[in-house]
Amino acid sequence: MSAFTTVVENGIATVTFDLPGEPVNKLSDAVKVEFEALLIRLRDDTTIRGAVLISGKPDNFIAGADIEEFTAVTTESAAERLSFEGQEMVSRVETLPTPVVAAIHGACLGGGLELALACHYRIATDHPKTQLGLPEVQLGLIPGAGGCQRLPRLIGVRAALDMILSGRSERGTKALRLGLVDELVPPSILRAVAVATADRLAREGIPRRKPRGGFPGLALDRTAAGRRLVYRAAEKRVRDKTAGHYPAPLRALDAVRVGLEDGITAGLAAEHRAFGELAVGDVSRKLVQVFFATTALKKDDGIPPGSAVPRQIRRLGIVGAGFMGAGIAGTAVANVEVDTRLKDADLVRVGRGLKTAGAVLADRYRRRRLSRAQYERLGALLSGGDDYRGFGRADLVIEAVFEDLALKRQVLAEVEAATRPEAIFASNTSTIPIRDIAAEARRPGRVIGMHFFSPVEKMPLLEVIPTEATDPEAIVTAVRFGRRMGKTVIVVADHPGFWVNRLLAPYLNEAAIMVAEGVPIDVIDRTMTAWGFPVGPIALLDEVGLDVAQKAGQVMHAAFGDRLRPPETLGRLLADGRQGRKNGRGFYRYQDGHKAGVDDSAYALLGIRPIENADTGVIERRLVYAMLNEAAMALEDGAVRSARDGDIGALFGFGFPAFRGGPLRLLDDLGAQRVVDTLRDLEDVHGARFSPAGSLITTILHGGHYYPA
Ligand code: NAI
């Protein structure tokens, strides 16, 4: 079956791309061969005056290259050739004698956008599913089919770099404003408008593009000196953001610069050379693995396929309208558009919770992600009260009251009394075993954990925690609902700390122990941000809240014993009334909500003097290996179902550096023998908490890996 069907009417060829058997259109080798043949026909058939390229998929124009196929490429020269051939194909579209109009509805990404950029006119729909972007850097690559050349020429170097270096995609309205598309239409008339446009361009000729007026960045774009400023600023932004760990954005910047300064031929050469090198590089390989893992997780419901059907959630109940409850409510309404009822102990708190939840919507409205009408309609889905009125219709209730077992049990009993027997009760506890909360439940099969991270709107991960007794239907319902809220969901075991907090426990403990030893706070944090974390461990403690962190630390200590004994560091700071960022006092100072340097008085409080010349190699080793060892143990205990889930949890739960693939991927890269040797060295100096995980030893014995080879 072919991917393209062409219908010629009145001299205008409408080419419909519809890759058989796939949900989205991808540019594979086979597709390219067929497309090349089509281009020859468009070039040579004199009865064809113009063409329209449109997709046959419901919400997808072209998702980009076929990544699966691309990962089969193993040599730099083969990858470079792939890019070169892509450039050639796209150029052949541009140089056709007849005008080609791209009719874009749905995702138009990567190679798909590069192809559209070579067309002579672009029409997009105003539908929210229409997204245009060059996300290659997110896979450690650069746009390699002329995108680094055509985009800056079309929309100006500043806007182009903004898109290419971030990999962010834009909706239709923004694309029109940028000049990325020429016209915006509703989906229902896309085809007709495109055909009429191709006909008009065939009669009137392809207009020469004027540089776009009114775009504020353009003045800078016009002079070499202006562009130099733009390049320099972009380079600084990239360096600040990537700490030198991600080579792709700098290579993309280079391909753009060479193309604009030395001409398009030189630019294309820089582009395919960089693409070849990056494609077989370690960072890209890791980011592609992460991409595959997240894609696979999107299809994984946490139960054997087909063993249960998710319940439809028409109404969501939330008990506890505090920080987390309100965040969950706002995100659920914004992303799932579900009728949501908040309950708290008194109306003042309910009011505050509703306001916080509404702020999620207000923020989207401000950023033009919601229209006024949508904003008002969604706002009306939020309601609340100081009793369980309205919970009778709830299909799912999420509990986010104080972290207190007796209280949570009491709330569960109240919810069971107020809801229908099929309703599911999910706790957002961060430390209490779900089975303890469910111990006195009337319907233990309907009790589950849904552990969100703060701030709920921004943090991408959700841990779903079934107990032994939880029904498969409740599991699949929680997983699917979390996914509709926009979260990447991992199903984890009902063990203390679940997965994310289990890995953080020894890491944060070790950081606090180092502070007590006199290692300067900022040196610890800088060491770990240089290693690739978005924030260092001490800053993270301040973010989480020292009270919350201490409580979690105590729970982990009780569960796992001496290995996870927290130092007294946090207790001393708490006794001084320091809770971290939330009350503006912690290891760091805060001014108007912003972190403003280490609070040196913390050292005095701990009775220490910061040491000079701390060895950052040792700091790094202690922190990294504490976490790696715990990951090996937790996987062995069955805390997560697979290395894949564990790595995604670490990446999305606390920002483990993506270019390292995740803690378990890193263990495989280092090799169990080397990890064990390092842990034994650390054990000699720092004690039994570094004693290597049993699974590391067995891995050495069996020569195995955490990932299948
Ligand atoms: P919070 O103190 O901001 O909110 C708790 C709310 O529950 C308060 O508004 C309180 O009035 C309400 N509440 C207490 N008893 C109630 C009752 N009987 N009926 C109705 N409402 C009641 O606390 P936060 O931070 O939102 O935490 C809530 C839960 O989420 C805790 O279990 C916590 O461990 C968990 N969690 C917290 C995270 C965080 O970063 N803060 C992250 C992940 C989970």
Side-chain angles (χ1 to χ4, degrees), residues 322-324 343-344 349 400-403 408 428 430 452 454:
F323 181 59
M324 293 301 287
K343 188 250 175 216
D344 206 304
R349 286 168 195 245
V401 299
F402 303 132
E403 189 75 343
K408 287 190 190 279
N428 180 48
S430 40
F452 291 90
S454 94

